[in-house]
Amino acid sequence: MTLAVASDFMHTWRWAWTFEPKSAMHKLPPDFRKAIDSDAAAKSLWADITPLARNEWICWVTSAKKEETRKRRIEVGLDKMRGGMRRPCCWPGCPHR
């Protein structure tokens, strides 16, 4: 986040915070993609949610330190998507934003 100075056509100076994203959009990993594609309800929800919501699901899955945790998160994520949950619950969010 940086502080920037802006001027409008009347030469009135304003201070504004600008955000410079660190390219925090994640690519859908093949194992997670395969799991989503194999479940009609999850696939339908995935097509309907926002890119930010998709990014949070991806980051939630890929931020697991152990492979067993990652696999469990994929299973739990699909189950939650089947239930209509649009974002991972009880997670502080993507740390890459």
Side-chain angles (χ1 to χ4, degrees), residues 56-57 60 73 76-77 80 85-93:
E56 287 192 7
W57 280 112
W60 180 66
R73 286 186 181 180
V76 169
K80 290 183 181 283
M85 187 175 279
R86 302 176 73 80
R87 291 176 186 251
C89 174
C90 310
W91 181 63

Side-chain angles (χ1 to χ4, degrees), residues 27-39 41-43 45-46 54 56-83 85 88:
K27 293 187 185 236
L28 183 59
D31 57 343
F32 196 23
R33 176 184 299 279
K34 184 178 176 183
I36 291 168
D37 286 344
S38 70
D39 188 292
K43 189 173 182 178
L45 183 119
W46 190 261
R54 286 187 206 125
E56 287 192 7
W57 280 112
I58 294 167
C59 192
W60 180 66
V61 167
T62 60
S63 66
K65 292 181 177 77
K66 296 180 181 180
E67 185 62 27
E68 61 204 45
T69 306
R70 178 186 174 108
K71 287 179 182 178
R72 184 174 41 81
R73 286 186 181 180
I74 290 173
E75 291 171 17
V76 169
L78 288 178
D79 187 54
K80 290 183 181 283
M81 285 185 219
R82 275 186 226 110
M85 187 175 279

Side-chain angles (χ1 to χ4, degrees), residues 4-39:
V5 178
S7 173
D8 62 14
F9 70 98
M10 298 290 289
H11 303 291
T12 303
W13 294 95
R14 293 174 286 153
W15 292 92
W17 289 102
T18 59
F19 292 91
E20 298 167 9
K22 297 184 266 184
S23 184
M25 293 308 289
H26 303 296
K27 293 187 185 236
L28 183 59
D31 57 343
F32 196 23
R33 176 184 299 279
K34 184 178 176 183
I36 291 168
D37 286 344
S38 70
D39 188 292

